[in-house]
Amino acid sequence: MNTLTQFSVDRKTPAYWRITFHNPPINLIDPDTIFELLTLLDQMEADSELKIVVFDSADPDYFMAHYDMARAGERQRSPKESELPPWIDFATRLSNTHVISIAQIRGRTRGLGSEFALACDMRFASQENAVFGQPEVAVGVVPGGGGNEVLSHLVGRARALEIILSADDYDAQTAERYGWINRAIPDADLEDFVEGLVRRISSFDRQTLQEAKRLLTRTGVPDATELLESRAAFLSTATAKTTQEFLPKVFAKGLGKRGDFEFRLGHHVGNID
């Protein structure tokens, strides 16, 4: 029985799946998204032939917008028991699972959306149509899903501070130059590039791919303890009085809705009076 409503799975070959996210109006991540991601991860880990998955979006304007702050108070659910909160369980397992994961990014990828992409093994983005950001600080919270830890490793401390403290939008060329993503590729070539890379990798021996990923994952991937510390800081800042007083202004401007505020979020969150 298919329990997925926000994701569709195209099993291209026994070794390769393409997983497409679709949660209108702007691909917000919510508690149901995380439940479905964990369900998908269970399916991925149980498949004895699967080698590689590609995550993409049905909305060319939004890959994964950010977490749905209107549902921030809801308890996140998991399809099975875990000692870790659901998002941290997902992010740590995705980084460490034997299945290789690629984010093929078109559109806006901010906040937890950026942190989802960072949890994937590789990230390839449309040169013209991808935008990245960690806007949390502008609305009174800190990144709580891996951005602090992974960005520091990928781009270095100074650039991670710039990204997180500016809360601004970054184009794909800058993200590539910083090391946030693997490559920025002309939009017309993005699909063919990713498809070619996936077909090449999926032709190789599964056991060898798993061992190579395991060895490369020994460094640079945050452990659960680090992520739990950031999550606690996120929850603390999210419930602070100043944040609770400020958030209604952001919702009134259009947070979580399709429109110019979300489209140019990096600009707008720096100009809220």
Side-chain angles (χ1 to χ4, degrees):
M1 180 178 175
N2 185 8
T3 59
L4 303 175
T5 61
Q6 297 185 12
F7 293 91
S8 59
V9 182
D10 183 359
R11 291 169 170 82
K12 297 280 191 178
T13 72
Y16 160 36
W17 296 0
R18 183 172 282 266
I19 302 172
T20 302
F21 183 46
H22 182 55
N23 187 27
I26 60 168
N27 274 3
L28 290 171
I29 300 170
D30 58 36
D32 300 323
T33 314
I34 297 169
F35 183 89
E36 292 193 20
L37 284 170
L38 283 163
T39 301
L40 281 165
L41 190 51
D42 288 342
Q43 295 173 4
M44 289 160 53
E45 291 178 333
D47 192 296
S48 61
E49 296 183 89
L50 185 62
K51 300 177 186 177
I52 190 165
V53 299
V54 175
F55 291 95
D56 63 13
S57 168
D59 187 334
D61 292 328
Y62 293 93
F63 178 72
M64 287 186 171
H66 52 76
Y67 196 73
D68 186 352
M69 292 300 291
R71 299 184 64 182
E74 292 183 28
R75 180 177 176 272
Q76 295 178 5
R77 301 177 298 120
S78 178
K80 62 184 182 183
E81 290 297 321
S82 171
E83 295 179 355
L84 296 173
W87 177 259
I88 294 177
D89 183 29
F90 171 76
T92 53
R93 284 173 58 197
L94 184 66
S95 296
N96 288 282
T97 186
H98 62 272
V99 179
I100 298 158
S101 57
I102 292 177
Q104 179 184 297
I105 301 165
R106 284 189 177 94
R108 279 119 195 96
T109 307
R110 303 181 177 113
L112 198 61
S114 167
E115 291 169 323
F116 168 84
L118 291 169
C120 291
D121 297 317
M122 290 175 264
R123 293 156 292 283
F124 300 98
S126 165
Q127 196 172 87
E128 301 93 332
N129 298 318
V131 175
F132 299 85
Q134 295 282 168
E136 292 91 341
V137 166
V139 297
V141 298
V142 296
N148 300 317
E149 293 76 18
V150 184
L151 279 173
S152 293
H153 176 75
L154 289 177
V155 309
R157 177 178 178 272
R159 281 175 167 167
L161 283 166
E162 177 195 349
I163 290 165
I164 290 170
L165 299 187
S166 74
D168 208 347
D169 285 341
Y170 291 79
D171 60 34
Q173 293 95 323
T174 304
E176 178 192 60
R177 190 168 70 251
Y178 279 19
W180 199 335
I181 60 174
N182 290 65
R183 301 194 200 190
I185 298 167
D187 190 81
D189 301 328
L190 179 61
E191 193 90 19
D192 286 344
F193 175 86
V194 172
E195 193 73 12
L197 177 64
V198 169
R199 298 283 180 175
R200 177 182 175 89
I201 292 172
S202 65
S203 72
F204 300 149
D205 176 71
R206 185 171 182 264
Q207 189 63 41
T208 306
L209 292 171
Q210 291 177 18
E211 188 66 2
K213 177 174 173 177
R214 183 188 70 81
L215 293 169
L216 287 163
T217 304
R218 291 176 300 175
T219 58
V221 175
D223 61 33
T225 303
E226 294 174 290
L227 296 177
L228 285 167
E229 185 176 358
S230 282
R231 178 178 182 269
F234 169 82
L235 292 173
S236 175
T237 52
T239 56
K241 181 181 178 183
T242 52
T243 303
Q244 291 299 306
E245 291 173 347
F246 181 72
L247 279 175
K249 297 180 182 180
V250 188
F251 282 119
K253 296 282 187 180
L255 185 71
K257 301 175 183 176
R258 200 166 189 100
D260 187 66
F261 186 83
E262 279 283 0
F263 205 72
R264 297 193 299 141
L265 187 63
H267 164 77
H268 288 301
V269 294
N271 294 278
I272 297 173
D273 46 33

